[in-house]
Amino acid sequence: MRRSDSEAIEITLEQEPNQARQLVQQLLQAQDDDADLWAYLAECESELRNHNAALKAWAHYLTLDPHWPEAYTARCDLFIEQGDIDGALTELKLVKEIADDDARVMRAEALLAEAQGQMQQADELYEQAEQCDALWPAPPRVSRQALQAALQRVHRGGSVRVEEMPESALPHGFLRLQDVTADGDAIVYARNLERDFDQDATVMDLVEAYESEVTEE
């Protein structure tokens, strides 16, 4: 794949994932054995929340390149999002055979622990991932009381309650930022806000991310 095509896909994916997917599909018509294009297709489908299509794209990628850990961890994350713990465990078993000490694998294990309610184990795994590779820092753990108060100030409905993680993937996936009750109250999931930040993040950084994501939805 040409660098210009890669750059065009990445730029478009940030703004218009549906257009990015169309571009990738066009390129695949002429280069259907290009593993990178299948990875981009999987990323587009993930961004569009077409999880089954993303899983299929990653599966095809692995027929072309079975040794890239991130393909397995991406599938693991998708299975977790859907609440398919067995599927996630299968991907982890496969990837640990080729990259047991990879920080991305440790973070996938941490996410699975969070989805299973094992928060202390998850934090230990995040710390191990950071020690293994500083490019994958452990998420911050901000004051829940301060976070709830700050979110309350920007919430446009009723009250705000902060919880660690959803108890179920239903109705909108384990990685959702919030649920809103019929009364307009918000339940915000702190760990799904914190996961993309490092230890330098502040409460207001998380609130800004929350506002941005909720507005886009």
mmCIF file of all heavy atoms in Angstrom, residues 43 68-71 73-74 77 101-111 122-140 194-199:
data_model
loop_
_atom_site.group_PDB
_atom_site.id
_atom_site.type_symbol
_atom_site.label_atom_id
_atom_site.label_comp_id
_atom_site.label_asym_id
_atom_site.label_seq_id
_atom_site.Cartn_x
_atom_site.Cartn_y
_atom_site.Cartn_z
ATOM 1 N N GLU A 43 -10.400 -1.245 11.675
ATOM 2 C CA GLU A 43 -10.463 -0.018 12.466
ATOM 3 C C GLU A 43 -11.673 0.823 12.084
ATOM 4 O O GLU A 43 -12.330 1.407 12.955
ATOM 5 C CB GLU A 43 -9.176 0.783 12.283
ATOM 6 C CG GLU A 43 -7.956 0.122 12.918
ATOM 7 C CD GLU A 43 -6.686 0.916 12.686
ATOM 8 O OE1 GLU A 43 -6.792 2.085 12.270
ATOM 9 O OE2 GLU A 43 -5.594 0.370 12.926
ATOM 10 N N TRP A 68 1.056 -10.583 14.366
ATOM 11 C CA TRP A 68 0.978 -9.230 14.893
ATOM 12 C C TRP A 68 0.098 -9.226 16.139
ATOM 13 O O TRP A 68 -1.114 -9.443 16.048
ATOM 14 C CB TRP A 68 0.424 -8.267 13.850
ATOM 15 C CG TRP A 68 0.552 -6.824 14.241
ATOM 16 C CD1 TRP A 68 1.592 -6.245 14.887
ATOM 17 C CD2 TRP A 68 -0.402 -5.787 14.002
ATOM 18 N NE1 TRP A 68 1.366 -4.899 15.071
ATOM 19 C CE2 TRP A 68 0.145 -4.587 14.538
ATOM 20 C CE3 TRP A 68 -1.651 -5.742 13.393
ATOM 21 C CZ2 TRP A 68 -0.525 -3.368 14.478
ATOM 22 C CZ3 TRP A 68 -2.312 -4.527 13.322
ATOM 23 C CH2 TRP A 68 -1.752 -3.364 13.858
ATOM 24 N N PRO A 69 0.650 -8.993 17.329
ATOM 25 C CA PRO A 69 -0.132 -9.080 18.566
ATOM 26 C C PRO A 69 -1.363 -8.173 18.584
ATOM 27 O O PRO A 69 -2.395 -8.547 19.133
ATOM 28 C CB PRO A 69 0.878 -8.661 19.643
ATOM 29 C CG PRO A 69 2.204 -8.991 19.069
ATOM 30 C CD PRO A 69 2.083 -8.724 17.599
ATOM 31 N N GLU A 70 -1.246 -6.995 17.982
ATOM 32 C CA GLU A 70 -2.350 -6.042 18.088
ATOM 33 C C GLU A 70 -3.617 -6.512 17.387
ATOM 34 O O GLU A 70 -4.720 -6.108 17.743
ATOM 35 C CB GLU A 70 -1.930 -4.680 17.535
ATOM 36 C CG GLU A 70 -2.815 -3.557 18.012
ATOM 37 C CD GLU A 70 -2.158 -2.207 17.903
ATOM 38 O OE1 GLU A 70 -0.922 -2.109 18.074
ATOM 39 O OE2 GLU A 70 -2.876 -1.233 17.651
ATOM 40 N N ALA A 71 -3.483 -7.389 16.405
ATOM 41 C CA ALA A 71 -4.675 -7.939 15.765
ATOM 42 C C ALA A 71 -5.463 -8.792 16.758
ATOM 43 O O ALA A 71 -6.696 -8.735 16.823
ATOM 44 C CB ALA A 71 -4.285 -8.761 14.536
ATOM 45 N N THR A 73 -5.204 -8.580 20.148
ATOM 46 C CA THR A 73 -5.706 -7.770 21.261
ATOM 47 C C THR A 73 -6.886 -6.914 20.829
ATOM 48 O O THR A 73 -7.796 -6.657 21.629
ATOM 49 C CB THR A 73 -4.592 -6.891 21.851
ATOM 50 O OG1 THR A 73 -4.041 -6.032 20.851
ATOM 51 C CG2 THR A 73 -3.488 -7.751 22.447
ATOM 52 N N ALA A 74 -6.903 -6.486 19.570
ATOM 53 C CA ALA A 74 -8.057 -5.746 19.066
ATOM 54 C C ALA A 74 -9.296 -6.633 19.059
ATOM 55 O O ALA A 74 -10.397 -6.204 19.439
ATOM 56 C CB ALA A 74 -7.785 -5.203 17.665
ATOM 57 N N ASP A 77 -10.482 -7.018 22.629
ATOM 58 C CA ASP A 77 -11.240 -5.845 23.081
ATOM 59 C C ASP A 77 -12.665 -5.863 22.521
ATOM 60 O O ASP A 77 -13.618 -5.512 23.222
ATOM 61 C CB ASP A 77 -10.535 -4.562 22.647
ATOM 62 C CG ASP A 77 -9.250 -4.315 23.415
ATOM 63 O OD1 ASP A 77 -8.928 -5.102 24.332
ATOM 64 O OD2 ASP A 77 -8.553 -3.341 23.083
ATOM 65 N N ASP A 101 4.910 -11.372 26.704
ATOM 66 C CA ASP A 101 5.433 -10.248 27.470
ATOM 67 C C ASP A 101 5.180 -8.903 26.788
ATOM 68 O O ASP A 101 5.841 -7.915 27.090
ATOM 69 C CB ASP A 101 6.937 -10.426 27.701
ATOM 70 C CG ASP A 101 7.717 -10.545 26.398
ATOM 71 O OD1 ASP A 101 7.075 -10.672 25.330
ATOM 72 O OD2 ASP A 101 8.970 -10.521 26.451
ATOM 73 N N ASP A 102 4.219 -8.842 25.874
ATOM 74 C CA ASP A 102 3.887 -7.612 25.163
ATOM 75 C C ASP A 102 2.945 -6.766 26.016
ATOM 76 O O ASP A 102 1.967 -7.272 26.576
ATOM 77 C CB ASP A 102 3.222 -7.955 23.822
ATOM 78 C CG ASP A 102 3.110 -6.754 22.913
ATOM 79 O OD1 ASP A 102 2.335 -5.832 23.240
ATOM 80 O OD2 ASP A 102 3.789 -6.723 21.866
ATOM 81 N N ALA A 103 3.221 -5.468 26.113
ATOM 82 C CA ALA A 103 2.398 -4.572 26.930
ATOM 83 C C ALA A 103 0.953 -4.544 26.452
ATOM 84 O O ALA A 103 0.022 -4.411 27.254
ATOM 85 C CB ALA A 103 2.982 -3.165 26.914
ATOM 86 N N ARG A 104 0.740 -4.664 25.152
ATOM 87 C CA ARG A 104 -0.623 -4.653 24.619
ATOM 88 C C ARG A 104 -1.410 -5.861 25.112
ATOM 89 O O ARG A 104 -2.620 -5.764 25.363
ATOM 90 C CB ARG A 104 -0.581 -4.628 23.089
ATOM 91 C CG ARG A 104 -0.079 -3.322 22.511
ATOM 92 C CD ARG A 104 0.298 -3.452 21.051
ATOM 93 N NE ARG A 104 1.463 -4.318 20.869
ATOM 94 C CZ ARG A 104 2.073 -4.487 19.699
ATOM 95 N NH1 ARG A 104 1.625 -3.874 18.618
ATOM 96 N NH2 ARG A 104 3.136 -5.275 19.608
ATOM 97 N N VAL A 105 -0.731 -6.979 25.273
ATOM 98 C CA VAL A 105 -1.395 -8.174 25.777
ATOM 99 C C VAL A 105 -1.768 -7.985 27.245
ATOM 100 O O VAL A 105 -2.871 -8.344 27.675
ATOM 101 C CB VAL A 105 -0.487 -9.401 25.594
ATOM 102 C CG1 VAL A 105 -1.136 -10.646 26.185
ATOM 103 C CG2 VAL A 105 -0.176 -9.616 24.114
ATOM 104 N N MET A 106 -0.865 -7.395 28.016
ATOM 105 C CA MET A 106 -1.155 -7.137 29.427
ATOM 106 C C MET A 106 -2.335 -6.186 29.587
ATOM 107 O O MET A 106 -3.179 -6.353 30.470
ATOM 108 C CB MET A 106 0.082 -6.558 30.104
ATOM 109 C CG MET A 106 1.272 -7.505 30.132
ATOM 110 S SD MET A 106 2.767 -6.719 30.776
ATOM 111 C CE MET A 106 4.002 -7.955 30.376
ATOM 112 N N ARG A 107 -2.424 -5.180 28.717
ATOM 113 C CA ARG A 107 -3.551 -4.252 28.796
ATOM 114 C C ARG A 107 -4.857 -4.933 28.404
ATOM 115 O O ARG A 107 -5.920 -4.628 28.969
ATOM 116 C CB ARG A 107 -3.290 -3.027 27.916
ATOM 117 C CG ARG A 107 -2.296 -2.048 28.530
ATOM 118 C CD ARG A 107 -2.121 -0.821 27.666
ATOM 119 N NE ARG A 107 -3.333 -0.013 27.594
ATOM 120 C CZ ARG A 107 -3.605 0.994 28.415
ATOM 121 N NH1 ARG A 107 -2.767 1.325 29.382
ATOM 122 N NH2 ARG A 107 -4.718 1.684 28.269
ATOM 123 N N ALA A 108 -4.801 -5.835 27.455
ATOM 124 C CA ALA A 108 -6.000 -6.593 27.102
ATOM 125 C C ALA A 108 -6.445 -7.452 28.282
ATOM 126 O O ALA A 108 -7.650 -7.558 28.576
ATOM 127 C CB ALA A 108 -5.741 -7.458 25.869
ATOM 128 N N GLU A 109 -5.491 -8.047 28.972
ATOM 129 C CA GLU A 109 -5.814 -8.824 30.170
ATOM 130 C C GLU A 109 -6.402 -7.921 31.250
ATOM 131 O O GLU A 109 -7.336 -8.315 31.967
ATOM 132 C CB GLU A 109 -4.567 -9.511 30.708
ATOM 133 C CG GLU A 109 -4.045 -10.644 29.842
ATOM 134 C CD GLU A 109 -2.836 -11.327 30.455
ATOM 135 O OE1 GLU A 109 -1.738 -10.738 30.421
ATOM 136 O OE2 GLU A 109 -3.007 -12.433 30.998
ATOM 137 N N ALA A 110 -5.871 -6.712 31.369
ATOM 138 C CA ALA A 110 -6.384 -5.759 32.362
ATOM 139 C C ALA A 110 -7.822 -5.378 32.054
ATOM 140 O O ALA A 110 -8.672 -5.308 32.955
ATOM 141 C CB ALA A 110 -5.505 -4.512 32.393
ATOM 142 N N LEU A 111 -8.110 -5.129 30.785
ATOM 143 C CA LEU A 111 -9.473 -4.775 30.395
ATOM 144 C C LEU A 111 -10.440 -5.916 30.685
ATOM 145 O O LEU A 111 -11.557 -5.691 31.178
ATOM 146 C CB LEU A 111 -9.502 -4.403 28.915
ATOM 147 C CG LEU A 111 -10.876 -4.043 28.332
ATOM 148 C CD1 LEU A 111 -11.509 -2.885 29.096
ATOM 149 C CD2 LEU A 111 -10.743 -3.703 26.847
ATOM 150 N N ALA A 122 -6.769 -5.776 37.665
ATOM 151 C CA ALA A 122 -6.630 -4.951 36.468
ATOM 152 C C ALA A 122 -5.546 -3.895 36.664
ATOM 153 O O ALA A 122 -4.693 -3.690 35.788
ATOM 154 C CB ALA A 122 -7.963 -4.292 36.131
ATOM 155 N N ASP A 123 -5.553 -3.220 37.813
ATOM 156 C CA ASP A 123 -4.560 -2.174 38.057
ATOM 157 C C ASP A 123 -3.147 -2.745 38.104
ATOM 158 O O ASP A 123 -2.196 -2.113 37.629
ATOM 159 C CB ASP A 123 -4.886 -1.441 39.353
ATOM 160 C CG ASP A 123 -6.091 -0.514 39.202
ATOM 161 O OD1 ASP A 123 -6.471 -0.237 38.053
ATOM 162 O OD2 ASP A 123 -6.637 -0.086 40.233
ATOM 163 N N GLU A 124 -2.998 -3.926 38.655
ATOM 164 C CA GLU A 124 -1.681 -4.567 38.680
ATOM 165 C C GLU A 124 -1.201 -4.868 37.257
ATOM 166 O O GLU A 124 -0.023 -4.686 36.924
ATOM 167 C CB GLU A 124 -1.746 -5.850 39.507
ATOM 168 C CG GLU A 124 -1.953 -5.601 41.002
ATOM 169 C CD GLU A 124 -2.205 -6.874 41.783
ATOM 170 O OE1 GLU A 124 -2.267 -7.959 41.144
ATOM 171 O OE2 GLU A 124 -2.347 -6.803 43.023
ATOM 172 N N LEU A 125 -2.106 -5.302 36.396
ATOM 173 C CA LEU A 125 -1.752 -5.600 35.012
ATOM 174 C C LEU A 125 -1.408 -4.327 34.245
ATOM 175 O O LEU A 125 -0.483 -4.316 33.424
ATOM 176 C CB LEU A 125 -2.900 -6.339 34.329
ATOM 177 C CG LEU A 125 -3.067 -7.801 34.746
ATOM 178 C CD1 LEU A 125 -4.439 -8.330 34.359
ATOM 179 C CD2 LEU A 125 -1.967 -8.653 34.104
ATOM 180 N N TYR A 126 -2.145 -3.241 34.510
ATOM 181 C CA TYR A 126 -1.818 -1.962 33.863
ATOM 182 C C TYR A 126 -0.421 -1.503 34.276
ATOM 183 O O TYR A 126 0.347 -0.992 33.453
ATOM 184 C CB TYR A 126 -2.847 -0.903 34.226
ATOM 185 C CG TYR A 126 -4.153 -1.007 33.459
ATOM 186 C CD1 TYR A 126 -5.367 -1.070 34.141
ATOM 187 C CD2 TYR A 126 -4.173 -1.003 32.070
ATOM 188 C CE1 TYR A 126 -6.578 -1.144 33.446
ATOM 189 C CE2 TYR A 126 -5.377 -1.088 31.375
ATOM 190 C CZ TYR A 126 -6.569 -1.156 32.071
ATOM 191 O OH TYR A 126 -7.763 -1.235 31.382
ATOM 192 N N GLU A 127 -0.094 -1.678 35.546
ATOM 193 C CA GLU A 127 1.240 -1.292 36.027
ATOM 194 C C GLU A 127 2.318 -2.150 35.362
ATOM 195 O O GLU A 127 3.383 -1.646 34.980
ATOM 196 C CB GLU A 127 1.304 -1.441 37.552
ATOM 197 C CG GLU A 127 0.452 -0.437 38.324
ATOM 198 C CD GLU A 127 0.988 0.988 38.230
ATOM 199 O OE1 GLU A 127 2.183 1.158 37.887
ATOM 200 O OE2 GLU A 127 0.223 1.920 38.499
ATOM 201 N N GLN A 128 2.060 -3.440 35.232
ATOM 202 C CA GLN A 128 3.021 -4.318 34.569
ATOM 203 C C GLN A 128 3.228 -3.905 33.119
ATOM 204 O O GLN A 128 4.359 -3.934 32.607
ATOM 205 C CB GLN A 128 2.529 -5.765 34.634
ATOM 206 C CG GLN A 128 2.571 -6.378 36.024
ATOM 207 C CD GLN A 128 1.961 -7.759 36.058
ATOM 208 O OE1 GLN A 128 1.909 -8.459 35.035
ATOM 209 N NE2 GLN A 128 1.471 -8.170 37.210
ATOM 210 N N ALA A 129 2.143 -3.517 32.445
ATOM 211 C CA ALA A 129 2.251 -3.091 31.051
ATOM 212 C C ALA A 129 3.111 -1.847 30.934
ATOM 213 O O ALA A 129 3.954 -1.740 30.029
ATOM 214 C CB ALA A 129 0.860 -2.834 30.478
ATOM 215 N N GLU A 130 2.937 -0.908 31.861
ATOM 216 C CA GLU A 130 3.737 0.317 31.833
ATOM 217 C C GLU A 130 5.214 0.004 32.091
ATOM 218 O O GLU A 130 6.105 0.582 31.448
ATOM 219 C CB GLU A 130 3.231 1.316 32.859
ATOM 220 C CG GLU A 130 4.000 2.619 32.854
ATOM 221 C CD GLU A 130 3.409 3.650 33.804
ATOM 222 O OE1 GLU A 130 2.661 3.260 34.728
ATOM 223 O OE2 GLU A 130 3.684 4.846 33.630
ATOM 224 N N GLN A 131 5.475 -0.892 33.031
ATOM 225 C CA GLN A 131 6.859 -1.267 33.309
ATOM 226 C C GLN A 131 7.500 -1.969 32.108
ATOM 227 O O GLN A 131 8.695 -1.821 31.858
ATOM 228 C CB GLN A 131 6.903 -2.177 34.537
ATOM 229 C CG GLN A 131 6.526 -1.467 35.830
ATOM 230 C CD GLN A 131 6.338 -2.428 36.987
ATOM 231 O OE1 GLN A 131 6.697 -3.603 36.906
ATOM 232 N NE2 GLN A 131 5.767 -1.951 38.091
ATOM 233 N N CYS A 132 6.695 -2.692 31.363
ATOM 234 C CA CYS A 132 7.181 -3.391 30.184
ATOM 235 C C CYS A 132 7.449 -2.421 29.032
ATOM 236 O O CYS A 132 8.428 -2.574 28.301
ATOM 237 C CB CYS A 132 6.161 -4.443 29.758
ATOM 238 S SG CYS A 132 6.576 -5.351 28.255
ATOM 239 N N ASP A 133 6.576 -1.419 28.892
ATOM 240 C CA ASP A 133 6.692 -0.476 27.775
ATOM 241 C C ASP A 133 6.063 0.846 28.192
ATOM 242 O O ASP A 133 4.843 0.931 28.358
ATOM 243 C CB ASP A 133 5.986 -1.027 26.535
ATOM 244 C CG ASP A 133 6.221 -0.189 25.291
ATOM 245 O OD1 ASP A 133 6.615 0.986 25.428
ATOM 246 O OD2 ASP A 133 6.003 -0.702 24.182
ATOM 247 N N ALA A 134 6.886 1.872 28.348
ATOM 248 C CA ALA A 134 6.403 3.179 28.812
ATOM 249 C C ALA A 134 5.430 3.822 27.851
ATOM 250 O O ALA A 134 4.736 4.787 28.216
ATOM 251 C CB ALA A 134 7.592 4.104 29.054
ATOM 252 N N LEU A 135 5.361 3.324 26.624
ATOM 253 C CA LEU A 135 4.393 3.860 25.670
ATOM 254 C C LEU A 135 2.955 3.471 26.023
ATOM 255 O O LEU A 135 2.012 4.000 25.433
ATOM 256 C CB LEU A 135 4.724 3.367 24.256
ATOM 257 C CG LEU A 135 6.012 3.914 23.640
ATOM 258 C CD1 LEU A 135 6.268 3.268 22.284
ATOM 259 C CD2 LEU A 135 5.943 5.430 23.494
ATOM 260 N N TRP A 136 2.811 2.551 26.985
ATOM 261 C CA TRP A 136 1.481 2.114 27.410
ATOM 262 C C TRP A 136 1.325 2.384 28.917
ATOM 263 O O TRP A 136 1.343 1.476 29.726
ATOM 264 C CB TRP A 136 1.286 0.630 27.102
ATOM 265 C CG TRP A 136 1.324 0.347 25.639
ATOM 266 C CD1 TRP A 136 2.389 -0.070 24.911
ATOM 267 C CD2 TRP A 136 0.240 0.485 24.722
ATOM 268 N NE1 TRP A 136 2.044 -0.218 23.595
ATOM 269 C CE2 TRP A 136 0.738 0.119 23.440
ATOM 270 C CE3 TRP A 136 -1.102 0.873 24.847
ATOM 271 C CZ2 TRP A 136 -0.062 0.137 22.298
ATOM 272 C CZ3 TRP A 136 -1.892 0.883 23.709
ATOM 273 C CH2 TRP A 136 -1.374 0.526 22.459
ATOM 274 N N PRO A 137 1.171 3.655 29.293
ATOM 275 C CA PRO A 137 1.114 4.006 30.716
ATOM 276 C C PRO A 137 -0.158 3.500 31.395
ATOM 277 O O PRO A 137 -1.209 3.359 30.759
ATOM 278 C CB PRO A 137 1.148 5.533 30.697
ATOM 279 C CG PRO A 137 0.553 5.907 29.375
ATOM 280 C CD PRO A 137 1.027 4.837 28.421
ATOM 281 N N ALA A 138 -0.041 3.238 32.676
ATOM 282 C CA ALA A 138 -1.209 2.845 33.461
ATOM 283 C C ALA A 138 -2.172 4.022 33.556
ATOM 284 O O ALA A 138 -1.745 5.177 33.682
ATOM 285 C CB ALA A 138 -0.782 2.408 34.852
ATOM 286 N N PRO A 139 -3.464 3.780 33.492
ATOM 287 C CA PRO A 139 -4.440 4.868 33.598
ATOM 288 C C PRO A 139 -4.395 5.528 34.977
ATOM 289 O O PRO A 139 -4.014 4.897 35.966
ATOM 290 C CB PRO A 139 -5.791 4.166 33.387
ATOM 291 C CG PRO A 139 -5.460 2.855 32.759
ATOM 292 C CD PRO A 139 -4.115 2.479 33.278
ATOM 293 N N PRO A 140 -4.793 6.796 35.054
ATOM 294 C CA PRO A 140 -4.875 7.458 36.355
ATOM 295 C C PRO A 140 -6.085 6.949 37.127
ATOM 296 O O PRO A 140 -6.997 6.361 36.547
ATOM 297 C CB PRO A 140 -5.062 8.932 35.976
ATOM 298 C CG PRO A 140 -5.803 8.876 34.670
ATOM 299 C CD PRO A 140 -5.244 7.666 33.955
ATOM 300 N N GLU A 194 -10.928 6.943 32.117
ATOM 301 C CA GLU A 194 -9.513 7.035 32.495
ATOM 302 C C GLU A 194 -8.583 6.275 31.548
ATOM 303 O O GLU A 194 -7.406 6.620 31.425
ATOM 304 C CB GLU A 194 -9.320 6.493 33.911
ATOM 305 C CG GLU A 194 -9.976 7.342 34.991
ATOM 306 C CD GLU A 194 -9.996 6.657 36.344
ATOM 307 O OE1 GLU A 194 -10.099 5.405 36.376
ATOM 308 O OE2 GLU A 194 -9.911 7.356 37.363
ATOM 309 N N ARG A 195 -9.094 5.266 30.853
ATOM 310 C CA ARG A 195 -8.227 4.305 30.170
ATOM 311 C C ARG A 195 -7.329 4.919 29.103
ATOM 312 O O ARG A 195 -6.247 4.401 28.812
ATOM 313 C CB ARG A 195 -9.070 3.182 29.558
ATOM 314 C CG ARG A 195 -8.256 1.943 29.200
ATOM 315 C CD ARG A 195 -9.143 0.787 28.773
ATOM 316 N NE ARG A 195 -9.983 0.359 29.871
ATOM 317 C CZ ARG A 195 -11.301 0.554 29.929
ATOM 318 N NH1 ARG A 195 -11.920 1.163 28.937
ATOM 319 N NH2 ARG A 195 -11.997 0.153 30.965
ATOM 320 N N ASP A 196 -7.736 6.018 28.502
ATOM 321 C CA ASP A 196 -6.936 6.625 27.433
ATOM 322 C C ASP A 196 -5.994 7.714 27.937
ATOM 323 O O ASP A 196 -5.400 8.431 27.121
ATOM 324 C CB ASP A 196 -7.860 7.217 26.363
ATOM 325 C CG ASP A 196 -8.605 6.131 25.587
ATOM 326 O OD1 ASP A 196 -8.064 5.019 25.488
ATOM 327 O OD2 ASP A 196 -9.715 6.407 25.104
ATOM 328 N N PHE A 197 -5.842 7.841 29.265
ATOM 329 C CA PHE A 197 -4.985 8.879 29.831
ATOM 330 C C PHE A 197 -3.835 8.262 30.604
ATOM 331 O O PHE A 197 -3.851 7.070 30.930
ATOM 332 C CB PHE A 197 -5.794 9.792 30.766
ATOM 333 C CG PHE A 197 -6.785 10.667 30.051
ATOM 334 C CD1 PHE A 197 -8.077 10.234 29.794
ATOM 335 C CD2 PHE A 197 -6.426 11.937 29.626
ATOM 336 C CE1 PHE A 197 -8.988 11.030 29.140
ATOM 337 C CE2 PHE A 197 -7.326 12.747 28.966
ATOM 338 C CZ PHE A 197 -8.610 12.295 28.720
ATOM 339 N N ASP A 198 -2.832 9.101 30.919
ATOM 340 C CA ASP A 198 -1.741 8.650 31.784
ATOM 341 C C ASP A 198 -1.882 9.290 33.164
ATOM 342 O O ASP A 198 -2.860 9.994 33.445
ATOM 343 C CB ASP A 198 -0.373 8.956 31.174
ATOM 344 C CG ASP A 198 -0.135 10.441 30.940
ATOM 345 O OD1 ASP A 198 -0.765 11.282 31.644
ATOM 346 O OD2 ASP A 198 0.675 10.791 30.058
ATOM 347 N N GLN A 199 -0.901 9.079 34.023
ATOM 348 C CA GLN A 199 -0.996 9.502 35.414
ATOM 349 C C GLN A 199 -1.039 11.019 35.590
ATOM 350 O O GLN A 199 -1.395 11.504 36.666
ATOM 351 C CB GLN A 199 0.176 8.919 36.213
ATOM 352 C CG GLN A 199 0.182 7.401 36.296
ATOM 353 C CD GLN A 199 -0.965 6.855 37.128
ATOM 354 O OE1 GLN A 199 -1.482 7.529 38.003
ATOM 355 N NE2 GLN A 199 -1.364 5.624 36.852
#
